Amino acid sequence: NAGVTQTPKFRILKIGQSMTLQCTQDMNHNYMYWYRQDPGMGLKLIYYSVGAGITDKGEVPNGYNVSRSTTEDFPLRLELAAPSQTSVYFCATQPGQVLSGANVLTFGAGSRLTVL
Amino acid sequence: AQSVTQLDSHVSVSEGTPVLLRCNYSSSYSPSLFWYVQHPNKGLQLLLKYTSAATLVKGINGFEAEFKKSETSFHLTKPSAHMSDAAEYFCVVSEATGFQKLVFGTGTRLLVSP
């Protein structure tokens, strides 16, 4: 049981290049999220998905795109990399919608991206 | 709107001494509150969560937190620090109204000296 797997772990991009960060989960969780973590800023939500075929913007979606064709996969695409996208990116999952209480997020190990 | 404030960006303690990491929150609804820990170059791991049950919540590795509605606080404590506790800690708030939109604090780095 791998949980949440992110690839690559590290990547250096040149300005204007594009790339996809992969996220795969084997827990059959409905909800998936992409966060970015900048020093001293906590985690900011980029995009999220509540199920296959459904995605929505989070707090900082500009410069990113996502898709969710299967329950397992939630790739994050950077089309024209900019230095402001230098960050650590985390994918997370959650079992599903609840009306009360709280479901816990399960995080991947992160992908460190540098744009030069 | 909900928000969370971690009052200290860094906390330094000696091994064997108590740990206190402070967190204040703001929420329009009955919140769910979490503490996550992040060790260097790792993902975030849940330490504990409060979901309107007991106000004193016990988590992993000897950590606990107390939900105080009157003070809008959810401070994290541990009686005796261990070297392995050195990490970044995040306080997180979520309004339990359906979709779980979480708001993260900016983090507190815990340094533990021998």
Side-chain angles (χ1 to χ4, degrees), chain A residues 31 37 42 90 94 98 102 105 108, chain B residues 34 36 38 43 90 98-99 102 105:
Chain A
Y31 285 17
Q37 183 182 28
F90 287 99
Q94 204 174 33
V98 292
L105 291 178
Chain B
F34 308 79
Y36 281 84
Q38 183 182 29
F90 293 93
F99 170 64
L102 304 179

Side-chain angles (χ1 to χ4, degrees), chain B residues 63-74:
Chain B
F63 284 94
E64 62 182 37
E66 186 172 7
F67 173 72
K68 292 186 176 181
K69 187 175 181 179
S70 60
E71 299 177 9
T72 61
S73 69
F74 191 57

